[in-house]
Amino acid sequence: MPQNADNVLDHFNLFRQPEYKEMFENKKKNFENPVADDALEQAREWTKTEEYKEKNFAREALTVNPAKACQPLGAVFAAVGFESTIPFVHGSQGCVAYYRSHFSRHFKEPTSCVSSSMTEDAAVFGGLNNMIDGLANTYNMYKPKMIAVSTTCMAEVIGDDLNAFIKTSKEKGSVPAEFDVPFAHTPAFVGSHITGYDNVIKGVLEHFWDGKAGTAPKLDRTPNESINFLGGFDGYTVGNLREVKRIFESMGVDYTILGDNSDVWDTPTDGEFRMYDGGTKLEDVAAALNAKATISMQEYCTEKTLPYIASKGQEVVALNHPVGVAATDKFLMEIARISGKPISEELTKERGRLVDAIADSSAHIHGKKFAIYGDPDLCYGLAAFLLELGAEPTHILATNGGKNWAEKVQALLDSSPFGKDCKVYPGKDLWHMRSLLFTEPVDYLIGNTYGKYLDRDTGTPLIRIGFPIFDRHHKHRYPVWGYQGSMNVLVWILDAIFEDIDRNTNVVAKSDYSFDIIR
């Protein structure tokens, strides 16, 4: 074999060696029931046609590569945003391994999360004993200040009652009676990761504001001038939340981030392990009841939480992943209106710099066609920015987007001449997107890592914006919100355009007349 200790080959080169090529050929021939190459190619070409697209869009009982994840993933995302809080997922160990690995691969940081490790016996008799033992072990081993409980499919199918289970666990001495154990039911077979985020944030607020499970303290109801902020499920939470804090501080506004996970996924390497880092202080969560208003950066991530907050007498403001000049203007003007504080000179200058950058580069973006997929708010925000740049967001697809979202995006498209021939696709998946890219081609695709297969298959260059990003590192450290974040998005789009131009103009003496130094 070509591999040896003196010359270790990485997999890029190892699997191209003759021995491995022969092994793969034998595997394909003897075990994969292959069809003839010409028949395979004929079928592949058919899947690129309008005829196939019609059949593809007619399917109802099958989803192929959905652009979403399950509720408990969003539940874990929300839970780690609170001070010294460990997510406790009532379900199987394998599910929790998926959530932890998914976040660790995106953020390149360890993600602490425990499971009640339900197995076959719990599926038959219920998971109460798993909850009793699991809460006790978590409390004693990891010394958290709060344990946030959510569920997986198994616990939901058999109907485990978290409220009753937590009360019983406290009666059995698993954790002290006054210890904070908020919870949310997050069945993975409905909704998506944004639903799970919403359920857990609402569950945490109910725990502290309503005394759910009889453990939260009685609250002072003295109003204050603070503004609460909800970021929603966001793959750029490290960069975005730090940018949002900078914006609030630049305007001199008192604020509380509800679910601040920016530090837990960006811990330093300095010899100290931090199972918990940062996070919203629990006393601040309780005090947030008395805030003047709550701003949500992602409307469709907080569909249950915002009405709950509004029921407490607070004003609520819902935005849609503000990227670009107009969207950031709206965000800052809402802060100014609610707080009575003026927008700072610093932010005003940043706006002017963004406008200048757009003017410098608009000729390269104008008229370019884009396909976008991802979460509803992300798609809306990016589409709005593309229209602002003079581009055409031709296909906008959100597997977890609903009818109301689609209507709102369509209204956005109708408001601009660049949205004339653009369409919205709620509830569709990436196999639908493949048909669209073949039958109605665009210049660029914007989405998460899974779009690289569409890039290879359809030849549509992928601009990686979204969650998860596995095959590129450290994107999450950069903001995409606000004027500064919009500048990042603008640069990423331009880089892709210029790289595509260079790739298509680099044949010596044939196309290199446009292989320019200056763009």
Side-chain angles (χ1 to χ4, degrees), residues 25 28-29 32-46:
E25 284 297 322
K28 181 178 180 180
K29 179 180 178 181
E32 295 183 3
N33 193 28
V35 299
D37 289 345
D38 58 344
L40 179 63
E41 187 60 28
Q42 184 179 7
R44 181 181 291 134
E45 289 300 313
W46 177 63

Side-chain angles (χ1 to χ4, degrees), residues 91 116 119 152 158 197 200 210 226 253 285 343 368 414 440 482:
S116 59
T119 52
T152 66
I158 63 178
Y197 170 91
V200 165
D210 291 341
S226 179
V253 174
V285 180
I343 297 171
K368 294 289 191 302
D414 293 342
E440 303 171 61

Side-chain angles (χ1 to χ4, degrees), residues 300 303 376 398-409 424-427:
Y300 297 99
E303 290 183 312
T399 307
N400 48 0
K403 181 180 178 182
N404 291 339
W405 168 79
E407 290 174 351
K408 185 167 185 173
V409 176
V424 190
Y425 299 94

Side-chain angles (χ1 to χ4, degrees), residues 411-426:
L412 171 70
L413 297 175
D414 293 342
S415 70
S416 168
F418 301 111
K420 179 182 177 183
D421 297 318
C422 304
K423 295 182 180 179
V424 190
Y425 299 94

Side-chain angles (χ1 to χ4, degrees), residues 222-230 244-258 280 283-284 287-295 314 331 334-336 338-342:
T222 304
N224 59 53
E225 294 299 309
S226 179
I227 296 176
N228 296 328
F229 179 87
L230 288 164
V244 166
K245 293 175 193 176
R246 187 185 69 86
I247 288 171
F248 276 119
E249 288 161 8
S250 174
M251 294 177 63
V253 174
D254 187 20
Y255 67 94
T256 299
I257 306 289
L258 294 175
T280 307
E283 57 266 31
D284 290 344
L289 174 63
N290 301 321
K292 195 171 186 180
T294 295
I295 297 176
Q314 274 190 36
F331 174 45
E334 289 290 354
I335 296 174
I338 295 167
S339 67
K341 301 287 183 70

